């Protein structure tokens, strides 16, 4: 195919994509939620299975009436034996409790359903491949001797660095720099500038990529870079982007010289591995620059499309050898279904050639790359048997002396995290959480409201963001440490999804994160006990009922 034909075909496909995307974007809020909830939601599956058992009981009552007491006796014994097993299982109490409900209501089908999700038959192949790529990732990432020595003399960060290294394989770095962006617009502007400098490779991994101004602007640069020989790889989640990008889009990108993949494409069948989504936000350029945060590649994240009045989000940019961790995380997922061995060391070694000079201004004389302290990019997933994301958050809460400031769009806590928040507040630490005042996902919003009462009654300050919707995911404490990434305070992020973030200690950028938190809090109102009582009874009732099944949603 000559260059003119390729250009003509590209224009035709873009027109087709643009036309098809209008309906997709228009219907996204309803269609995407309904499809995800009904096809893949465990809660709906449990209701369906319980309904089947009641139908079976009606059938047995009619056909086998004289033997029905034997059936009920057997089901009772089965339920008791399973509950004994469940009580002694080494897992979180919330998960035990939520599985007791379907087992008590419908023993046979409840136990079958539990085994279906517990054995995770659909995820066996995924876990096997993930173990291989994770082992490769860990073998390629090493802690430098000078960093190890520095950690030994900094006990306040040594143990969390050791935990992230041993549990996830993510080393700490001292020769890297970080810049903080308090909005999607600022992050996007800097990203475009760095993207135009790309010379070797560009890796993009996002939960959501949607057609529109933001993606089209990035794509135009990617096409030019691919034509010049820069290796470009794009990966997006199959459910997160399913209503925003047409099917077959990776094949279209291939015609432009861009390698592309859909992680776990939508399959209209119940499957356990469909629950483990790729919620990461990773943008790597030449192994020298990496971006992460709460911002997806879609117009509402940079306020080009108004879903709410204003979309508040944040991101960080990492420069230096710490970018290795992000490159490795990208390759960890990209290589899940690759048959050929990828050139891990080639891509990771690109970060060794990045030399950080003195602090320099990066965007419009406003944002600085700050060097100093320790930088640890890290990730988490549902298949590694480690609650890495939650452990990092709890460590910050348990170490805090003066304050912990948090922003999260979703507030669905397990016992451990809820206890850590309340314990910090009772120790005299100022714990403040910024949450949205408006619903992004209604049921999730209602569940989150049920936790607010307990928190504010125990000294935790909870604020509602009034100008629009806050989607940022951040922890900052005592002017010393901060985390910015993709990890929400809910069960999906903490247990079911692939996630990523940057842990920063002793870097001047922590002060910028704290400054932005205070500015954002000025646009919030605190939820007091009298205000909580004014929350509509319908919201509280829906939240309390759905909260029982929160670990499964």
């Amino acid at each position: 195919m000559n260059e003119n034909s390729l250009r003509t075909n590209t224009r035709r496909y873009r027109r087709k994509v643009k036309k098809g995307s209008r309906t997709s974007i228009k219907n996204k809020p309803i269609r995407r939620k309904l499809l995800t909830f009904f096809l893949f939601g465990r809660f709906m599956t449990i209701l369906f299975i319980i309904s089947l058992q009641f139908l079976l009981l009606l059938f047995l009552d009619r056909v086998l009436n004289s033997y029905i007491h034997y059936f009920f006796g057997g089901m009772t014994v089965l339920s008791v034996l399973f509950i004994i097993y469940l009580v002694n299982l080494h897992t979180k109490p919330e998960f035990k409790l939520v599985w007791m409900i379907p087992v008590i209501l419908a023993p046979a089908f409840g136990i079958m359903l539990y085994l279906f999700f517990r054995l995770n038959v659909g995820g066996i192949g995924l876990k096997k491949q993930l173990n291989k790529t994770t082992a490769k990732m860990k073998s390629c990432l090493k802690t430098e001797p000078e960093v190890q020595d520095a950690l030994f003399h900094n006990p306040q960060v040594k143990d969390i660095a050791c935990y992230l290294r041993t549990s996830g394989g993510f080393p700490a770095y001292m020769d890297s720099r970080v810049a903080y962006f308090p909005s999607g617009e600022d992050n996007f502007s800097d990203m475009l500038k760095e993207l135009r400098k790309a010379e070797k490779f560009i890796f993009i991994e996002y939960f959501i990529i949607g057609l529109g101004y933001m993606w089209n602007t990035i794509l135009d640069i990617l096409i030019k870079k691919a034509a010049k020989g820069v290796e470009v790889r794009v990966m997006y989640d199959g459910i997160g982007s399913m209503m925003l990008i047409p099917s077959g889009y990776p094949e279209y990108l291939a015609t432009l010289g861009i390698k592309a993949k859909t992680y776990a494409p939508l399959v209209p069948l119940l499957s356990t591995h469909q629950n483990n989504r790729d919620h990461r936000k990773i943008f790597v350029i030449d192994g020298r620059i990496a971006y992460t945060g709460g911002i997806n590649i879609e117009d509402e994240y940079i306020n080009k499309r108004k879903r709410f009045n204003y979309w508040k989000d944040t991101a960080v940019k990492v420069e230096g050898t710490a970018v290795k961790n992000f490159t490795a995380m990208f390759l960890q997922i990209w290589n899940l279904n690759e048959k050929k061995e990828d050139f891990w060391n080639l891509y990771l070694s690109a970060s060794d050639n990045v030399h950080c000079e003195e602090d320099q201004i990066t965007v419009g004389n406003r944002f600085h790359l700050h060097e100093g302290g320790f930088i640890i990019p890290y990730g988490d997933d549902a298949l590694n048997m480690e609650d890495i994301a939650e452990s990092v958050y709890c460590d910050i809460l348990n170490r805090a002396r003066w304050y912990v400031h948090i922003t999260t769009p979703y507030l669905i806590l397990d016992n451990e995290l809820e206890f850590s928040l309340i314990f910090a507040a009772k120790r005299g630490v100022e714990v403040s959480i910024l949450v949205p005042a408006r619903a992004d996902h209604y049921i999730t919003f209602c569940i989150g409201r049920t936790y607010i009462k307990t928190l504010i009654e125990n000294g935790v300050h909870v604020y509602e963001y009034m100008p629009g919707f806050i989607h940022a995911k951040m922890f900052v404490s005592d002017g010393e440490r901060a985390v910015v990434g993709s990890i929400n305070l809910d069960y999906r992020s903490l247990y079911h999804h692939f996630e990523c973030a940057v842990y920063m200690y002793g870097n001047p950028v922590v002060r910028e994160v704290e400054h932005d938190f205070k500015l954002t809090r000025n646009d919030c109102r605190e939820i007091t006990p009298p205000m909580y009582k004014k929350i509509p009874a319908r919201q509280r009732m829906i939240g309390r009922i759905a909260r029982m099944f929160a670990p499964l949603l």
Side-chain angles (χ1 to χ4, degrees), residues 116 165 170 172 210 234-235 281 321 341 452 458 489 535 546:
F116 176 74
R165 179 71 186 94
F170 305 105
V234 176
M235 181 165 50
K281 287 86 176 169
T321 54
E341 179 72 16
I452 293 175
N458 286 278
L489 288 185
I535 294 176

Side-chain angles (χ1 to χ4, degrees), residues 54-68:
F54 280 117
L55 291 175
L56 177 61
L57 290 177
L58 291 175
F59 171 77
L60 290 174
D61 184 55
R62 288 176 174 270
V63 179
L64 303 172
N65 188 51
S66 59
Y67 300 98
I68 195 69

Side-chain angles (χ1 to χ4, degrees), residues 455-474:
L455 292 176
I456 63 178
E457 286 178 347
N458 286 278
V460 178
H461 302 278
V462 181
Y463 300 83
E464 290 182 321
Y465 182 68
M466 303 308 294
F469 188 81
I470 187 166
H471 191 255
K473 307 98 164 41
M474 305 189 315

